Amino acid sequence: MDGESRNATVPWEHAMLSPVDRLRSDRADSPTPGLVEGTEPGAVQRSAIFYHAQSYEDLTAEAENEAQRAPEPDRPEGHNEDGIDALVGEKSGERRLNNDPSSESSTKEEDVSSEAWRSHKKHVFVLSEAGKPIYTRYGTEEALSSTMGVMMALVSFVEAEKNIIRSIHADGCKVVFLTKSPLVLVGVSKTGQSDKELLRELQYIYYQIVSLLTLTQLNHIFQHKQNYDLRRLLAGSEYLTDNLLRRLERDPGLLLSAVTCLPLASSARDVVSSSLQAAKAKNLVFSILLAGDRLVTLVRKKDQFLHHIDLHLVFNLVGSSSSFREGEGWTPICLPKFNTAGFFHAHISYLEPASELCLILVSTDREDFFNMSDCKQRFMERLSKRSAYQAMKEALKCPSYSVEQVGIPELRHFLYKSKSSGLYTSPEFPEVYQSDEEQERLMGLYQDLHSCLHHPTRPLRYFYRCSETENLLARLTSGFELYLCFSPLATKALAVSAVDKLLKWIRKEEDRFFILSPLTY
């Protein structure tokens, strides 16, 4: 079966992004909260970028049973330790971007019986179905081997009764279990997050591990040796999981199942996209240009779509290490929502040594390094002759915007997601939320609102909450998802009226904030 026929059968009821012929072509002149998907501000006008999913699609869908989409990446043979070694290299000893190495080391060396270890608000554990420890966020796996053994005993005891343990609630603490054979993931939280939110985070950790090894290799390993110590293969890659957990706490994109773009004039973005489109090769599947944690553009092979989770894993890989700045990198990577069975190979390089612009070229051929390097050179030669390159550099000097530009009184911050494009936009944090603690607190409030809108049995469309520090409004329609944060002086009437005003402003600026006309090869 070819790629076209497979994509034509993607179930719309599961909120997967529709091919272009099913997207609505009409766009509303005056946006209102009742907009349907495909006409909201930020909706794509041509072909789509992502296989876009609702926030909790991954909690029920079994990626392992999905039909594989051509072209197929390289399938690993045996344990293929060379593949994981090529990915993690010697990064276990290098300095990570945005991390404090001494702080990271101290958390790993914490005494698991100490009060400091117990005081962490959230722990994450990964173990095999044989009870072998694989990963812990704090402390060492060796010191927690008996604790993980107890966790596995709980899972096995409940399974013996032909049931599944999902969570334990006790004394303000939640213990959430996710079994993804051959792995078991456990989250222990005092944050007040819902079970669904914690499961979403565990899903991301699971996909991070699969992206390093492939599910085929994981199954092969444990089928031959159930008590295999997977840390032998993952040694040196722990920083990727650590950094992903930090992103889950701070990055709205992982909460919204969406990606944000670098604000850029549509004319400049179109030139960059067409330059990438022209620099194509036979085995090139995705060309992705990033600006720090923001997407500049993405060009894909026709009939091949990228899932937002896979793109978040690419963001995490690039943002977790400084080694890619040293030259042209070539690394195997599994995109688990595209195909859990094999590796793609990614050419990763920065356009300039001191620039935040990073180009990722994803190929199906492990011997394609020089072809991908040539693609980059052709892209740079074409781009350097155009003013769009300078426009990108100028945009990087101010990669966000202030909420004051919206012109809504008492509005402090917001998150807006277009459902059909899988993209979101939000302003920079205002002065009141400049500290890490305040930003994490605000993200916690957004998570609470998100849980209410996406409650499994009692989902809401509107939600308004008042507190001493801020007032919040959440709104969900078939076309968009919106979260607004106001000062405590704002009234409910002001907050409700702000929705229409904000949508009109986003509509006016959508050419800068969203990729409205993505290109294909």
Side-chain angles (χ1 to χ4, degrees), residues 23-24 27 38 42-49 418 420-421 515-516 518:
L23 288 173
R24 297 180 62 106
R27 298 172 65 76
V44 289
Q45 298 181 29
R46 284 163 43 183
S47 60
I49 303 176
S418 162
S420 66
S421 69
I515 302 174
L516 301 180

Side-chain angles (χ1 to χ4, degrees), residues 208-411:
Q208 178 64 70
I209 294 173
V210 171
S211 76
L212 295 171
L213 299 172
T214 76
L215 184 60
T216 299
Q217 183 165 308
L218 268 177
N219 289 331
H220 176 83
I221 290 169
F222 287 103
Q223 283 170 2
H224 285 76
K225 190 176 181 181
Q226 290 186 352
N227 64 345
Y228 182 81
D229 188 352
L230 197 62
R231 289 176 297 171
R232 291 170 52 189
L233 283 181
L234 295 177
S237 67
E238 298 89 346
Y239 71 97
L240 286 169
T241 308
D242 293 341
N243 200 52
L244 181 59
L245 284 166
R246 282 188 285 271
R247 284 176 176 269
L248 284 164
E249 293 173 349
R250 299 283 300 278
D251 189 342
L254 279 73
L255 172 67
L256 297 175
S257 303
V259 177
T260 190
C261 294
L262 176 73
L264 185 66
S266 60
S267 57
R269 199 187 307 272
D270 290 344
V271 170
V272 176
S273 299
S274 62
S275 298
L276 271 181
Q277 184 187 43
K280 61 183 179 181
K282 177 182 178 182
N283 298 309
L284 183 60
V285 185
F286 301 111
S287 298
I288 308 166
L289 184 60
L290 307 181
D293 287 336
R294 297 174 181 270
L295 179 66
V296 178
T297 190
L298 187 154
V299 182
R300 59 179 178 80
K301 196 168 185 176
K302 189 177 181 181
D303 300 323
Q304 304 303 322
F305 295 83
L306 189 64
H307 198 282
H308 63 270
I309 288 180
D310 291 335
L311 189 54
H312 286 152
L313 295 177
V314 172
F315 270 90
N316 189 53
L317 172 64
V318 173
S320 297
S321 174
S322 60
S323 64
F324 295 118
R325 291 186 175 274
E326 299 171 2
E328 298 179 61
W330 185 244
T331 181
I333 181 172
C334 172
L335 301 178
K337 293 300 291 182
F338 187 97
N339 190 328
T340 59
F343 287 110
F344 286 100
H345 297 268
H347 180 281
I348 304 175
S349 61
Y350 284 83
L351 302 194
E352 295 178 6
S355 173
E356 288 298 307
L357 294 168
C358 181
L359 179 63
I360 301 104
L361 303 173
V362 181
S363 171
T364 58
D365 188 350
R366 72 179 70 185
E367 306 297 333
D368 230 10
F369 172 81
F370 293 105
N371 286 335
M372 295 301 102
S373 182
D374 179 63
C375 287
K376 181 198 174 180
Q377 292 306 315
R378 286 188 281 132
F379 167 67
M380 290 300 297
E381 289 171 5
R382 187 180 179 95
L383 186 64
S384 60
K385 298 175 183 177
R386 290 165 166 77
S387 60
Y389 192 19
Q390 186 60 37
M392 278 198 299
K393 292 180 179 180
E394 291 298 320
L396 281 171
K397 296 178 181 178
C398 187
S400 188
Y401 55 93
S402 68
V403 73
E404 284 79 13
Q405 295 179 35
V406 183
I408 297 177
E410 308 300 338
L411 180 63

